[in-house]
Amino acid sequence: MATALAPRKAPRQARSRKTRDAILVAAGGILAREGLRGLTTNHVARAAGISIGSLYQYYPNKQAIIGALLTESRAAVLAGMEAAAEAAADAALDVVVCAMVRARLRQLFEQPGLTEALERAEAELPADQGLARQRTQVQAQVVAVLAEYYVDDPETVARDVLALAEGMAHAALRAGEAAFEPLAQRVERAVTGYLAGVVPEA
Amino acid sequence: MATALAPRKAPRQARSRKTRDAILVAAGGILAREGLRGLTTNHVARAAGISIGSLYQYYPNKQAIIGALLTESRAAVLAGMEAAAEAAADAALDVVVCAMVRARLRQLFEQPGLTEALERAEAELPADQGLARQRTQVQAQVVAVLAEYYVDDPETVARDVLALAEGMAHAALRAGEAAFEPLAQRVERAVTGYLAGVVPEA
Amino acid sequence: MATALAPRKAPRQARSRKTRDAILVAAGGILAREGLRGLTTNHVARAAGISIGSLYQYYPNKQAIIGALLTESRAAVLAGMEAAAEAAADAALDVVVCAMVRARLRQLFEQPGLTEALERAEAELPADQGLARQRTQVQAQVVAVLAEYYVDDPETVARDVLALAEGMAHAALRAGEAAFEPLAQRVERAVTGYLAGVVPEA
Amino acid sequence: MATALAPRKAPRQARSRKTRDAILVAAGGILAREGLRGLTTNHVARAAGISIGSLYQYYPNKQAIIGALLTESRAAVLAGMEAAAEAAADAALDVVVCAMVRARLRQLFEQPGLTEALERAEAELPADQGLARQRTQVQAQVVAVLAEYYVDDPETVARDVLALAEGMAHAALRAGEAAFEPLAQRVERAVTGYLAGVVPEA
DNA sequence: GATGAATGAGAGTTCATTCAT
DNA sequence: CATGAATGAACTCTCATTCAT
């Protein structure tokens, strides 16, 4: 009964995969530039250089496109954060967390506007289990690290850290900041300050 | 082409003002409960207990309603933050800033969902000068305080502080947190930590 | 979850009622002339001399229009058959039944094509309780009479009688027969013949 | 404008004929199960285990498939009725007619749903000469018998008899009757009764 | 011949907005 | 001023049909 959010056909052939990706790229661009209001299926199809019928061969409905965009976006964060966590393994807690946060920030900077628009879009979407799970996974990755350091209430801490970083990044991007490093350092200050009251004395 | 966002007529008469407010209350409730998707003009009119025709006597279009809601919301923050700043006058920088941030947080908690939905709505609206100015004013109030303490680049600092607080609050509310004080203290930790690297030794 | 088939608003004002009826008349005409394929909402609106938006103020969806048409059609049969049954009260069984059948036939002749098209349309519609109940009522009226005469298995008999009459009428109309009486008499012959093997000796 | 309803190529090769039949079987099944609404060309192709492109190699359009289904169905009736008529040759008029009617009923019972759906489908199709002729042939076969017995207006009688039988059968099937014989006997009663007023004393 | 990706006209439906009453 | 019926552009999605591979 719940609308399927899964893409429609597995892209076995190279051409198919290209079309599928072209749709996502087009949709992402529109979403970032014009917001959810501008994201009409016809508009996406035109921007992707395909017909509306083709679009619906790849995605069963508009939500599925947004869902795929979200999935892709979150997979990228997850991958980035995982890599960062591994690279910083065995460092102090705040160092590891900051590394993960940086990975997240980098993504926000690479697709300015898109991530924010996507999250706004998700809020307007009917609730979907798959998407909810994905949203949790990003946080869960931070939780895992925090747990290793015996941080109390790691869920809340992870949520706080990610939320403050994202909040700052969105505001900075909206204000026109283009440089990554200065923002990253300011975020790190906030994160470190926040964590100072959380880390057990070890 | 630029649609006027100003309300249509000055509410000189008491009845007019009441109707105007009823529209905003109805719209705000719907926005908080059902998101931008559920906010249709007919729906608002019905919820406000008036006809669709009357609604358009008070607001020239849907955007104007959202604009009024945003204006109202921001006026409340401004008032709250101003009061907080005065009450904490002459205290240490972080104390004053935290007091202002608390005022902001309190508003977010009082209308959970609405503020967030309102901001999402604003992002989807065509850019409007008036609203942009308002957004700046909230930040400007913090900037004014920071400047008194000779903080460097007060615009960025103000933006950062507000953004991290709002980010954390939204995440907490979405996660179902209902208690104000715990969140406020966590936010203060982040703000204080962030500010520590900013305050001149003076 | 099941699509509502009920009309949207009660037509209190005369104008409203007129529009509602105009929609049904237009839809009925199209259905009779062009079949379900030709029955598009835009087509109906145009034929009714209203805008598509207005159409949807009166009926929540296309099915509801078909449903209303069916309801109207069945109400007419029911009324006609009831009147016929009363007028023929106390007559012999076959006389009463034939009177009812005639009432049914008369309706089929008055709106040639429509009844048939409506039934075809109903078959393509998702099952709806309300409609199913209505369909039963026509038969139930015959059952009631048969029961009074102690006919065995009145449900089957009623179904048979109505079905043979309708089958003959549809075929006759499709073949271009325009005169009512000759057909009615042929149907009566079949009905009487059929009933002869059914009536208890009394 | 008049779309050709004839199949596209003569099935000279065995494989061709098999594919052609597979298409019809698939289409017939879908039509019986899901009605005209469910009968999409892509759906048929998938159910037949071929590609949509291949489907269009065998039938020039969707109507042609329905047309072929109707042709097949009617050929079967014709054959059945012819055999029945021969087997009952020289019997009394009503015996012969009833035998033919039984043949028709048997077909309806063998493919419950399909024949009815097929007839509904035909009514929604644009009028086609070929199909109209076929429809006449079934009737013509009864006419031929009636004529032998010097029945007056044999066309009308044939139409009536077939129509009442089909009407009763469709209603019975829709009501869930599964047994053939009881229905057949009821139909025979109606037919015999009807014919009683028709046969010349001769 | 077979395939299935691609096409696009057109269907159902919504909703901001207007205007006669 | 209030009402709410009416409007129609715009949106999502389907499906018969084509055509390059």
Side-chain angles (χ1 to χ4, degrees), chain A residues 14 35 42 44 47 49 66-67 74 76 103 115-116 132 142 144 151 153 158 161 165 168 174 178 181 187 191 194:
Chain A
N42 279 288
V44 170
I66 301 176
R74 278 184 182 137
T115 316
E116 206 183 341
V142 180
V151 172
D153 194 0
V161 166
M168 287 174 73
R174 227 179 324 174
E181 199 48 39
V187 170
V191 170
Y194 173 89

Side-chain angles (χ1 to χ4, degrees), chain D residues 157-172:
Chain D
V157 172
R159 179 173 4 100
D160 282 346
V161 166
L162 285 171
L164 78 83
E166 285 160 17
M168 287 175 73
H170 289 158

Side-chain angles (χ1 to χ4, degrees), chain D residues 1-8 59-65 128:
Chain D
M1 201 105 307
T3 327
L5 286 190
R8 216 167 213 174
Y59 296 93
N61 53 47
K62 193 172 134 173
Q63 291 187 23
I65 299 177
D128 178 72

Side-chain angles (χ1 to χ4, degrees), chain A residues 51-110:
Chain A
S51 71
I52 181 63
S54 290
L55 185 148
Y56 277 91
Q57 293 231 338
Y58 290 95
Y59 297 93
N61 51 49
K62 193 171 127 172
Q63 290 185 27
I65 300 177
I66 301 176
L69 236 25
L70 272 163
T71 301
E72 201 184 42
S73 163
R74 278 184 182 137
V77 206
L78 280 173
M81 284 176 60
E82 198 168 333
E86 270 178 37
D90 298 325
L93 172 62
D94 57 351
V95 173
V96 186
V97 170
C98 280
M100 296 178 87
V101 164
R102 263 179 184 267
R104 173 68 168 136
L105 290 177
R106 191 155 282 129
Q107 193 213 17
L108 294 177
F109 257 75
E110 267 162 16

Side-chain angles (χ1 to χ4, degrees), chain D residues 9-97:
Chain D
K9 58 179 165 184
R12 295 241 178 86
Q13 302 169 15
R15 189 140 82 98
S16 268
R17 151 144 249 131
K18 238 203 242 167
T19 307
R20 261 187 58 92
D21 284 355
I23 293 170
L24 289 192
V25 168
I30 293 169
L31 200 53
R33 257 176 291 116
E34 310 177 33
L36 193 52
R37 296 260 317 201
L39 191 80
T40 72
T41 50
N42 278 284
H43 193 169
V44 170
R46 210 177 322 124
I50 60 169
S51 71
I52 179 65
S54 292
L55 185 146
Y56 274 87
Q57 293 242 331
Y58 289 94
Y59 296 93
N61 53 47
K62 193 172 134 173
Q63 291 187 23
I65 299 177
I66 300 175
L69 234 26
L70 273 163
T71 301
E72 200 184 45
S73 163
R74 280 187 179 132
V77 206
L78 281 172
M81 285 175 59
E82 199 167 334
E86 270 177 38
D90 298 326
L93 170 62
D94 58 351
V95 174
V96 186
V97 171

Side-chain angles (χ1 to χ4, degrees), chain C residues 19-36:
Chain C
T19 307
R20 248 188 69 97
D21 286 354
I23 293 170
L24 287 193
V25 168
I30 293 169
L31 201 51
R33 253 176 294 116
E34 310 177 32
L36 194 53

Side-chain angles (χ1 to χ4, degrees), chain C residues 34-37 117 119-120 123-124 156 159-160 163-164 167-168 171-172 174-175 177 183 186 189-190 193-194 197-198, chain D residues 34-37 62 120 123-124 135 156 159-160 163-164 167-168 171-172 175 177 183 186 189-190 193-194 197-198:
Chain C
E34 310 177 32
L36 194 53
R37 292 278 298 222
E119 269 154 32
R120 275 201 312 271
E124 298 291 335
T156 303
R159 180 172 5 99
D160 282 347
L164 77 82
M168 288 175 72
R174 229 178 324 174
E177 279 194 50
L183 171 72
R186 272 145 48 211
R189 248 180 17 236
Y194 173 88
V198 159
Chain D
E34 310 177 33
L36 193 52
R37 296 260 317 201
K62 193 172 134 173
R120 274 202 309 273
E124 298 292 337
R135 208 170 37 216
T156 303
R159 179 173 4 100
D160 282 346
L164 78 83
M168 287 175 73
E177 279 194 51
L183 171 72
R186 272 145 47 211
R189 245 176 25 231
Y194 173 88
V198 159

Side-chain angles (χ1 to χ4, degrees), chain D residues 149-197:
Chain D
Y149 288 79
Y150 306 104
V151 171
D152 199 40
D153 194 359
E155 280 79 17
T156 303
V157 172
R159 179 173 4 100
D160 282 346
V161 166
L162 285 171
L164 78 83
E166 285 160 17
M168 287 175 73
H170 289 158
L173 285 169
R174 231 178 320 174
E177 279 194 51
F180 173 76
E181 198 50 38
L183 171 72
Q185 289 181 4
R186 272 145 47 211
V187 170
E188 288 192 342
R189 245 176 25 231
V191 169
T192 313
Y194 173 88
L195 286 178

